[in-house]
Amino acid sequence: MEYKVIGWTNFSDRRFPAVSDEERFRIRPAIIKEIREHGYRFCGDEHEERDGCVPVLNSGEKYCIPSWREWGAIMAQAWQIDNTDGSAYFTFYMSSKYRDDHSNPPLSYPTPGVDTSAIVDKATLTYPDRGTEEVYGTHVKNLTDEYHRVIEFIRKNNLPTYTPAKDGVSVRAVFDGIIRSNRLADPQKPLPRASRTPMISIIGDSVSTLLGYSPDDTVFYNAERKHETGVWDLGDTWWGRVAEELSAEILVNNSVSGSTVTRCPGCETEAFSASDTRTSGLHVADMTPDIIFILMGLNDWGRGVPVTPPDGKEGDLSVFSVAYSQMLEKLRRNSPAAEIFCLTLPVAKRECGEPFPYEYSGVHIEKYCAAIMAAAEKYSCNVVDLYRTAEPYDSTDGFHPDRDGMMKIADAVLNVM
C-alpha cells in the first residue's frame, strides 16, 4: 500500500508526529496528488496557521513544514508553475501576496478532519511513484534529484543526519553543504573555500533563534510570535539578513533560548555556550563554517553572574570573562579556518518609556561588553560593538528585538564586515 493523505489537521496537533526530514521529499508526490485531485490552493502562512491545512498520511504522521517557502514550492509543483531561478514558490508563499495578484484563481481549502481508522502499520507502506512529480518546475525537480543523491551518499558513507528538532540544522543545510563542497563528485577532493558559497554558523541565545533553524523546544521566535514581532522568516532575523547581504548560507544556528556563556545554577549542564557540546556543534558532517557569529551574554548579564574571577578561581566557568575566553579557545580549536565575530551586548528600547536597566541584576552591562572585547582581542577575533555603535533597537518586551530591531543589529554587523 502506498502512502496517501487521509485527512487534514492543524500545525500544532499533537496527536500526530511530524514526518521526518529524510522522508518528506519521498512522500511529497502523495501530497501533490491530493492537492491536484481536490483543487486545493493555499499558501505557506496558512499551512502553518490555519486549521485544516496540514495533511495527515495513512502512516499516522502529519506533513508539516516550518517554512512558508517550502510549502509554496509544493503548491508550485502541484500547479506546474515553472521557472529556472528557484522562485516559483513565491506565488504560494503568503496568502496576502497571492491575493494581490488578481490573475490568481481563488484560494481553496480542505475540510479539517482525519479518518484515523485509515491509519496502518508504517512498515507496510511504500513510497509513491515519483512519476507523479515529473510535471513541475525545472529547478525544484533538479533540487529533488540532488536530495536523493545526497541521502544515498550520507547513508553509503555512514555520515550523521541532522534535523531541526534534534540539532538545529535542517537536512537542506546538510545536502547544500555537501553539494557545494563537491563531496558528491569526489569525497576526497572538496572544492577550495574561495570557490564556493561562504557558510555561516551562529552561537547565541533567544535573540538569535528562529523556528525551523533552532531546536524546536529552544525557540523564542516561533509561530505564535510572528505577528507580535514581525519576525516571520530568515530574512527578518539579524543573522539571516547578514547572510543574504554576504550571499552566504546558514550552516548551523546553535542558539538556545535562556542559555548563558557561563555554567550557572539553574541552567542545564550542557546548555552554556562555553561547553564542549555547544562549541563543537557548529559543523555538519565534515562541513565547517567560514564565519562564526557569537551573540551571547544577555542572560549572564540578566542573572548578574560575576564578570571577573575572585582570587584562586582563574578557571571557574561560572565567571563570565573566564567562560567567554574558554568558548573562544574551543571555537578556535574546532574551527581553525573560521573568521569569528564577537558581538557585544545590545541595548533595547523600552515600550513603557522607562530607561534601559543597565545594571539589571547589579552588574553594569558595560563590564560584560568589556570582557567580550578583551577575550576577542586575546584570541584574534573580530568585534562588533553593538553596545556603543548600534542604535537602541525596537523590541516587544524590552529585550527581544522585533523585525526593525533585528535590522539594526544586522546593519551594525555589516558595517564592520
Side-chain angles (χ1 to χ4, degrees), residues 57-294:
L57 298 149
N58 52 347
S59 61
E61 300 166 301
K62 60 184 179 182
Y63 194 98
C64 56
I65 303 169
S67 165
W68 296 3
R69 288 177 170 88
E70 188 175 338
W71 183 261
I74 288 176
M75 280 290 175
Q77 292 170 37
W79 298 115
Q80 303 175 23
I81 297 173
D82 196 0
N83 67 6
T84 56
D85 65 2
S87 61
Y89 74 85
F90 201 73
T91 299
F92 292 96
Y93 169 60
M94 187 186 302
S95 55
S96 60
K97 294 183 181 296
Y98 182 92
R99 294 189 189 96
D100 285 344
D101 185 345
H102 300 295
S103 65
N104 287 330
L107 294 170
S108 60
Y109 309 93
T111 301
V114 178
D115 179 11
T116 55
S117 66
I119 296 174
V120 299
D121 183 352
K122 185 174 178 177
T124 67
L125 294 174
T126 59
Y127 293 109
D129 179 6
R130 288 180 59 205
T132 59
E133 282 193 290
E134 291 304 317
V135 238
Y136 63 72
T138 304
H139 173 85
V140 180
K141 184 179 187 304
N142 290 341
L143 181 61
T144 305
D145 290 342
E146 293 287 9
Y147 174 88
H148 289 289
R149 291 173 60 211
V150 172
I151 291 299
E152 181 180 354
F153 172 81
I154 288 172
R155 288 173 175 160
K156 184 183 297 183
N157 290 274
N158 295 317
L159 297 175
T161 56
Y162 295 76
T163 64
K166 181 180 179 184
D167 296 290
V169 184
S170 66
V171 167
R172 171 65 186 270
V174 176
F175 68 78
D176 271 356
I178 295 174
I179 290 169
R180 286 193 169 85
S181 63
N182 204 30
R183 297 291 290 172
L184 287 173
D186 183 352
Q188 304 305 317
K189 188 180 179 182
L191 292 174
R193 282 183 177 273
S195 69
R196 63 171 171 80
T197 303
M199 306 301 286
I200 293 175
S201 289
I202 304 100
I203 187 165
D205 52 29
S206 58
V207 170
S208 304
T209 60
L210 182 67
L211 185 67
Y213 290 86
S214 310
D216 287 352
D217 56 351
T218 70
V219 173
F220 176 82
Y221 292 95
N222 56 23
E224 289 74 26
R225 290 192 173 98
K226 287 181 175 181
H227 293 284
E228 175 187 355
T229 63
V231 178
W232 292 74
D233 214 332
L234 181 63
D236 300 320
T237 66
W238 70 265
W239 44 277
R241 166 71 183 279
V242 170
E244 288 179 359
E245 291 296 321
L246 298 178
S247 297
E249 292 280 349
I250 301 301
L251 181 61
V252 176
N253 185 329
N254 191 325
S255 297
V256 178
S257 290
S259 64
T260 53
V261 177
T262 53
R263 178 194 284 128
C264 60
C267 298
E268 293 184 14
T269 306
E270 289 297 300
F272 65 102
S273 65
S275 68
D276 291 341
T277 300
R278 296 283 300 275
T279 52
S280 63
L282 300 182
H283 68 283
V284 174
D286 64 347
M287 285 295 297
T288 57
D290 301 289
I291 300 169
I292 297 173
F293 290 117
I294 306 167

Side-chain angles (χ1 to χ4, degrees), residues 342-401:
C342 302
L343 283 61
T344 64
L345 307 187
V347 174
K349 292 179 182 177
R350 313 284 283 182
E351 284 189 348
C352 56
E354 295 178 0
F356 184 79
Y358 292 94
E359 298 185 55
Y360 185 70
S361 291
V363 184
H364 200 287
I365 194 172
E366 284 188 356
K367 294 185 177 180
Y368 297 94
C369 294
I372 291 171
M373 296 176 74
E377 182 178 5
K378 179 179 179 181
Y379 290 96
S380 302
C381 301
N382 303 286
V383 172
V384 180
D385 193 358
L386 297 179
Y387 179 72
R388 296 192 181 279
T389 63
E391 294 182 31
Y393 60 75
D394 300 310
S395 69
T396 59
D397 55 10
F399 294 101
H400 295 94

Side-chain angles (χ1 to χ4, degrees), residues 17-37:
V19 173
S20 72
D21 276 351
E22 284 191 46
E23 292 181 303
R24 282 219 304 259
F25 274 73
R26 300 180 74 179
I27 297 172
R28 181 172 287 187
I31 311 300
I32 292 172
K33 180 180 179 182
E34 182 77 2
I35 290 170
R36 288 176 177 163
E37 286 183 354

